[in-house]
């Protein structure tokens, strides 16, 4: 008899086929994301769980899963899972690192350029028939080339963002508790500074950190007040790293020039004030959303799940 696994959501057919060779699959059907009560009921006889970042896998669910060997998250971030508790029960938790690095760095750059050059506003302007001729001062934005980029969190994605910044001849500073080696600093042309110095001196500040107790509201009113008036804040990591109310206020009062967000504090809700402002670009958490990358994420999660149910240490155990 094959081991049984629970999938909180449907996946691409290629990933389903892979899992089906090794396990019997049951799906959650009560919604997207499914109700917690459904996960609790269905997890009882399962050896594996494959979930998305929208599923909160807490103590109650883990306690209901007496046979569970692995929780495979289809995301690189895993703040939606009580990892410590799962580990204490001998359950592997896995993520999908690496496969989404470039895609997320690309989207970071799309946001930097979209905010700096006011692309959504310019698009609306054109569609609304307001383009009546070239004007010297039409929709003026911020120069990107040659400016300073501050990268908060110099992990895989932060480093991929830095590589792309070299094409824009930017000065790159970063803050991270773990310094890069001097060889890496040369490769990424990046210089480590304190968070405070980064905020005070950078023209663009981009966040690439995991969400945890230390990074929750890392950027709030005080930090925003340190930033330059012309600065732009980009967040493609996790929403609660930024105090969204404080950001909306800073943007409204023009204490900073603009922001680009792909993630929110209370997803899928977006702070009402942000939606009224023109100087923020709002995306629906699509950092890794290329066809190729999302398939790779699903396949990576499926492989982690299979390794876990077979009693092997999964390649991407966190
Ligand atoms: C992740 O994998 O953590 C991303 O947020 C998905 O885009």
């Amino acid at each position: 008899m094959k081991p049984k696994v629970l999938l909180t959501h449907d996946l691409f057919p290629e990933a389903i086929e892979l899992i089906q060779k090794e396990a019997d699959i049951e799906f959650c059907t009560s919604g997207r994301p499914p109700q917690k009560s459904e996960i609790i009921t269905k997890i009882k006889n399962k050896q594996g769980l494959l979930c998305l970042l929208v599923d909160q896998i807490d103590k109650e669910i883990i306690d209901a899963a007496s046979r569970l060997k692995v929780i495979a998250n289809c995301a690189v971030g895993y703040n939606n899972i009580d990892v410590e508790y799962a580990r204490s029960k001998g359950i592997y938790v896995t993520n999908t690192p690496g496969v989404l690095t470039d895609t997320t760095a690309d989207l970071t750059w799309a946001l930097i350029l979209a905010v700096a050059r006011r692309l959504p506003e310019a698009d609306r302007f054109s569609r609304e028939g307001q383009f009546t001729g070239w004007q010297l001062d039409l929709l003026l934005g911020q120069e990107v080339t040659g400016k300073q980029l501050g990268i908060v969190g110099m992990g895989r994605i932060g480093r991929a963002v830095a590589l792309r910044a070299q094409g824009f001849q930017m000065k790159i500073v970063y803050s991270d508790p773990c310094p890069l080696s001097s060889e890496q600093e040369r490769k990424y042309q990046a210089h480590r500074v304190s968070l405070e110095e980064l905020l005070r001196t950078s023209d663009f500040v981009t966040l690439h950190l995991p969400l945890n107790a230390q990074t929750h509201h890392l950027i709030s009113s005080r930090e925003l007040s340190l930033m330059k008036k012309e600065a732009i804040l980009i967040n493609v990591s996790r929403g609660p790293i930024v105090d969204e109310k404080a950001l909306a206020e800073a943007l409204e009062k023009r204490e900073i020039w603009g922001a680009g967000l792909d993630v929110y504090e209370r997803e899928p809700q977006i702070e009402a004030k942000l939606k009224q402002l023109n100087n923020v670009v709002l995306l629906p958490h699509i950092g890794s959303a290329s066809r190729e990358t999302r398939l790779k994420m699903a396949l990576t999660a499926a492989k982690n799940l299979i390794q876990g149910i077979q009693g092997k240490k999964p390649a991407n155990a966190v």
Side-chain angles (χ1 to χ4, degrees):
M1 218 170 62
K2 285 185 196 167
K4 293 184 184 0
V5 297
L6 180 64
L7 270 55
T8 56
H9 295 249
D10 200 2
L11 293 177
F12 299 111
E14 294 91 327
I16 297 291
E17 272 168 38
L18 202 69
I19 300 169
Q20 263 166 350
K21 285 188 193 142
E22 308 295 339
D24 288 330
I25 302 177
E26 188 170 5
F27 290 96
C28 288
T29 52
S30 61
R32 290 162 69 93
Q35 286 162 17
K36 183 173 174 180
S37 56
E38 184 188 12
I39 303 182
I40 288 179
T41 308
K42 291 189 170 170
I43 197 81
K44 289 190 189 339
N45 60 346
K46 305 294 186 300
Q47 276 114 308
L49 171 67
L50 195 152
C51 56
L52 304 189
L53 59 85
V54 291
D55 303 312
Q56 297 303 321
I57 309 301
D58 61 10
K59 286 195 176 68
E60 213 183 329
I61 292 179
I62 294 169
D63 278 338
S66 56
R67 306 187 61 198
L68 201 65
K69 294 181 176 172
V70 58
I71 302 170
N73 209 31
C74 186
V76 68
Y78 45 85
N79 53 287
N80 57 311
I81 301 170
D82 190 334
V83 177
E84 287 315 311
Y85 195 63
R87 268 203 206 122
S88 76
K89 297 266 178 172
I91 299 167
Y92 287 118
V93 176
T94 68
N95 68 343
T96 63
V99 294
L100 48 75
T101 303
D102 286 320
T103 316
T104 309
D106 290 348
L107 189 93
T108 305
W109 270 95
L111 266 178
I112 289 175
L113 293 168
V115 180
R117 301 299 300 275
R118 303 170 62 179
L119 299 189
E121 244 184 296
D123 179 80
R124 283 194 295 274
F125 181 89
S126 306
R127 287 169 200 272
E128 286 164 4
Q130 295 189 60
F131 181 37
T132 52
W134 190 89
Q135 291 168 46
L136 191 61
D137 60 352
L138 180 63
L139 287 162
L140 301 182
Q142 297 280 359
E143 193 73 32
V144 177
T145 299
K147 294 281 184 76
Q148 179 170 311
L149 176 66
I151 303 177
V152 186
M154 201 58 164
R156 287 187 202 84
I157 298 173
R159 295 197 297 267
V161 169
L163 279 183
R164 286 153 176 77
Q166 292 174 17
F168 290 88
Q169 294 124 48
M170 295 181 97
K171 176 176 175 197
I172 304 166
V173 296
Y174 73 98
S175 75
D176 194 298
C178 301
L180 297 179
S181 65
S182 35
E183 197 185 319
Q184 282 179 316
E185 287 204 348
R186 267 196 303 280
K187 174 175 175 191
Y188 296 104
Q189 296 173 17
H191 170 63
R192 184 167 173 246
V193 294
S194 66
L195 176 62
E196 184 154 332
E197 184 180 340
L198 182 149
L199 294 170
R200 282 189 198 284
T201 57
S202 297
D203 303 296
F204 296 86
V205 174
T206 183
L207 308 176
H208 302 285
L209 303 151
L211 172 63
N212 53 41
Q214 287 75 45
T215 61
H216 183 265
H217 280 194
L218 183 78
I219 304 297
S220 189
S221 317
R222 193 189 85 85
E223 291 71 27
L224 291 163
S225 74
L226 297 176
M227 289 173 68
K228 294 181 177 182
K229 282 223 163 344
E230 315 75 42
I232 289 172
L233 177 73
I234 303 292
N235 189 12
V236 301
S237 54
R238 284 292 182 267
I241 293 174
V242 176
D243 178 342
E244 222 167 77
K245 279 199 193 309
L247 174 63
E249 208 173 299
L251 287 167
E252 190 180 42
K253 294 185 181 154
R254 294 271 170 181
E255 285 165 1
I256 64 169
W257 196 80
L261 305 177
D262 185 42
V263 289
Y264 304 92
E265 239 191 294
R266 288 166 286 275
E267 274 178 39
Q269 284 172 51
I270 300 177
E271 181 69 28
K273 199 189 276 178
L274 285 176
K275 290 195 263 183
Q276 292 158 10
L277 298 172
N278 256 344
N279 54 344
V280 57
V281 176
L282 304 170
L283 303 181
H285 204 149
I286 53 165
S288 60
S290 75
R291 208 171 35 81
E292 296 91 334
T293 291
R294 286 284 166 89
L295 176 59
K296 282 186 206 159
M297 287 168 67
L299 289 171
T300 304
K303 286 177 196 160
N304 286 328
L305 179 80
I306 293 166
Q307 288 160 351
I309 58 174
Q310 292 178 341
K312 300 174 193 151
K313 183 172 180 195
N316 305 117
V318 301

